[in-house]
Amino acid sequence: MIAVVDYGMGNLRSVSKALEYVAPDADVQVTSDPAVVQQADRVVFPGQGAMPDCMRELSERGLRDAVINASRTKPFLGICIGLQMLFDHSDEGDIPGLGIFPGNVRRFPRGDVRDANGARLKVPHMGWNRVMQVDRHPLWENIPEDDWFYFVHSYYAVAADKESVAGRCDYGLRFACAVARDNIFAVQFHPEKSHLAGLQLLRNFSVWKP
Amino acid sequence: MLAKRIIPCLDVTSGRVVKGVNFVSLRDAGDPVEIAKRYDDQRADELTFLDITASSDDRDLILHVIEEVASQVFIPLTVGGGVRKVEDVRRLLNAGADKVSINTAAVQNPQLVADASARYGAQCIVVAIDAKMVHPGDLTTAPRWEVFTHGGRNRTGIDAVEWARRMESLGAGEILLTSMDRDGTREGFDLRLTRAVVDAIDVPVIASGGVGTLEHLAQGVVEGGADAVLAASIFHFGEHTVKEAKELMAARGIEVRL
């Protein structure tokens, strides 16, 4: 069973539909129940909105321990704010995260920032961008190098442990858009909205044996 | 670097995709789910559904359409048409929309944009602006466009560029800018209008209205400065595919997701 952790921050329909699409035999459950997260074979930890709200809701719903426990024991996929929450600290609201990866979450620079071609970089970073794969992680299997994924975010993670960086993306600066360690893989982009590349990543996750 | 987006637009009424010619003689263009899947296969970057259902009885049909599409098509979906309340935004997002587009209601009640954005985040609130030129400009004065509502029938007196700025400040995450002068003409975007709005705001602008050739799409990006281009009729009847549009844009030096 694949549990999609629901702590009340937005609609998880696309994540669950995409998982059902790539793993029709898997039992996909969107759940707010810590016991279901404990029982799950695999856990997807999504997130949208503001990270302080996400952290608060996660604690208030009693899901914090179940998520931390899952991140130590079973295939675990963080998505968007679900990646950011794994870090020590976020500048958004100046709050601590779950501390599973060392490092901080920072905001893209304000003001008139331009890329190499002189195009103005808007925040949020919203749209399709290329992802450079850092290593040959099983979750990149059958996904071309430099393929396009869909992003929507204003903050990005700065991983203190460079070894944990599994994917990079350029948006005025180069940032870690995927991090991995042992049984954890987390991405800043939205695989559930990233067409074939995103579906392949979810398919890879659904059969991953870390 | 971000890719410039190509967004096919599907006008939906009573659960079917239609294409109007100057707002009359609607032609049936098919089943929304089938059409959405076809564009998805062609690597459309996003899809926009515009609910033009007149009768309120049939309003809920769009929710079923979106639910159906969202379980089979995994790219961002924007839905607009008839959005009046924050509750409408919630229902569309729950059905599977990633963004909701607000048009007439933003003019009648700008607070709706602020409320919806505060609640669900700017990234899912698109404000659609229908603009029409009211003064062509000359050697001494800039051209002026005004916001029109109700499908271009009602003149509001509001300056379109100012309106885009105000919507951005209230929390619009994106502006869908349609030239009512060009819509349905196939003469190309109003590039001066596009450029004027792009230069005035920091959120992405989607150019719309008037696309008749693939070259027009490239012009919207290169000359208009748009972040995304939206078109309906050139894709619906098999004239061109999204893939052809992207190949032409790439040949013009535009970064696209091929």
Side-chain angles (χ1 to χ4, degrees):
Chain A
M1 183 257 288
I2 304 177
V4 180
V5 185
D6 179 9
Y7 45 96
M9 287 298 295
N11 178 18
L12 305 178
R13 188 191 182 89
S14 0
V15 176
S16 64
K17 288 289 170 195
L19 286 164
E20 284 167 13
Y21 188 85
V22 297
D25 297 330
D27 175 16
V28 178
Q29 292 193 25
V30 176
T31 182
S32 308
D33 183 350
V36 176
V37 176
Q38 298 280 17
Q39 288 157 17
D41 303 305
R42 297 165 193 279
V43 169
V44 177
F45 184 46
Q48 52 183 293
M51 180 161 148
D53 297 338
C54 291
M55 289 300 298
R56 189 191 63 239
E57 291 296 321
L58 191 69
S59 293
E60 284 181 0
R61 287 162 195 257
L63 283 159
R64 188 189 165 106
D65 291 346
V67 166
I68 290 174
N69 195 37
S71 77
R72 290 177 181 148
T73 54
K74 54 188 97 177
F76 185 96
L77 177 64
I79 298 175
C80 195
I81 309 288
L83 170 145
Q84 296 180 8
M85 291 166 80
L86 302 181
F87 282 81
D88 287 331
H89 181 270
S90 175
D91 286 355
E92 187 177 21
D94 190 20
I95 51 152
L98 296 173
I100 294 165
F101 282 93
N104 292 304
V105 177
R106 304 217 181 280
R107 193 185 185 280
F108 283 114
R110 291 172 202 275
D112 194 6
V113 181
R114 290 174 187 267
D115 70 12
N117 301 327
R120 199 159 31 133
L121 297 176
K122 300 169 180 183
V123 179
H125 170 219
M126 180 167 73
W128 297 85
N129 208 334
R130 292 182 186 276
V131 170
M132 295 165 270
Q133 301 169 14
V134 173
D135 59 10
R136 298 187 55 82
H137 196 281
L139 265 68
W140 294 133
E141 189 80 26
N142 294 322
I143 298 173
E145 171 69 344
D146 285 339
D147 209 352
W148 299 91
F149 286 85
Y150 189 76
F151 289 82
V152 185
H153 62 125
S154 300
Y155 290 78
Y156 64 96
V158 182
D161 174 11
K162 298 299 169 217
E163 292 292 299
S164 69
V165 178
R168 291 198 173 91
C169 178
D170 281 334
Y171 192 63
L173 46 86
R174 184 161 287 189
F175 67 95
C177 66
V179 291
R181 193 183 64 216
D182 305 330
N183 57 305
I184 310 174
F185 198 85
V187 293
Q188 179 60 63
F189 50 80
H190 290 270
E192 76 280 12
K193 286 290 159 185
S194 296
H195 197 225
L196 301 181
L199 292 174
Q200 184 63 47
L201 189 138
L202 293 173
R203 190 175 291 118
N204 294 341
F205 175 73
S206 73
V207 297
W208 183 29
K209 295 189 178 70
Chain B
M1 187 171 148
L2 279 179
K4 299 296 179 184
R5 290 169 280 154
I6 294 185
I7 308 176
C9 178
L10 291 73
D11 288 348
V12 180
T13 182
S14 303
R16 296 287 291 179
V17 176
V18 291
K19 185 56 203 168
V21 182
N22 301 325
F23 288 98
V24 287
S25 66
L26 292 174
R27 274 207 282 169
D28 188 277
D31 173 55
V33 180
E34 288 307 311
I35 294 177
K37 282 163 76 174
R38 190 199 309 155
Y39 292 146
D40 183 51
D41 289 342
Q42 296 173 7
R43 289 178 82 77
D45 296 303
E46 203 168 310
L47 296 174
T48 289
F49 294 82
L50 205 54
D51 183 12
I52 57 168
T53 304
S55 149
S56 54
D57 298 347
D58 288 342
R59 278 262 171 235
D60 283 352
L61 283 174
I62 192 74
L63 296 175
H64 301 305
V65 168
I66 297 307
E67 281 174 10
E68 194 63 28
V69 172
S71 56
Q72 298 181 55
V73 171
F74 300 98
I75 56 176
L77 307 175
T78 302
V79 187
V83 176
R84 304 251 172 277
K85 307 184 292 282
V86 174
E87 171 63 14
D88 297 332
V89 175
R90 189 189 67 82
R91 293 199 319 156
L92 289 167
L93 293 176
N94 279 347
D98 299 283
K99 309 179 196 179
V100 171
S101 161
I102 306 175
N103 190 339
T104 300
V107 175
Q108 291 169 338
N109 173 23
Q111 188 61 31
L112 170 64
V113 174
D115 292 346
S117 180
R119 176 103 197 223
Y120 298 108
Q123 82 288 341
C124 63
I125 303 302
V126 180
V127 171
I129 300 178
D130 292 344
K132 206 183 265 192
M133 187 181 277
V134 293
H135 188 285
D138 51 36
L139 289 174
T140 53
T141 53
R144 179 179 156 87
W145 297 268
E146 275 184 19
V147 177
F148 281 67
T149 60
H150 299 88
R153 291 191 300 278
N154 295 8
R155 183 171 175 176
T156 65
I158 302 168
D159 181 87
V161 177
E162 272 310 309
W163 183 243
R165 279 202 195 98
R166 176 143 184 245
M167 291 297 100
E168 178 187 27
S169 69
L170 285 181
E174 198 159 60
I175 298 293
L176 168 55
L177 179 67
T178 303
S179 162
M180 301 310 286
D181 300 305
R182 295 299 178 89
D183 204 29
T185 65
R186 304 176 66 90
E187 289 171 6
F189 297 119
D190 182 340
L191 296 170
R192 289 198 299 169
L193 167 67
T194 309
R195 177 51 77 179
V197 173
V198 165
D199 286 346
I201 60 177
D202 285 326
V203 297
V205 174
I206 305 164
S208 155
V211 174
T213 68
L214 298 180
E215 202 67 60
H216 289 154
L217 296 170
Q219 287 170 355
V221 171
V222 174
E223 295 172 46
D227 299 277
V229 286
L230 180 136
S233 57
I234 63 161
F235 298 131
H236 285 342
F237 298 107
E239 238 174 282
H240 293 290
T241 63
V242 176
K243 187 165 176 289
E244 286 167 3
K246 289 194 167 184
E247 283 164 355
L248 179 126
M249 286 170 76
R252 296 289 174 273
I254 300 167
E255 180 92 293
V256 289
R257 184 180 69 104
L258 280 173

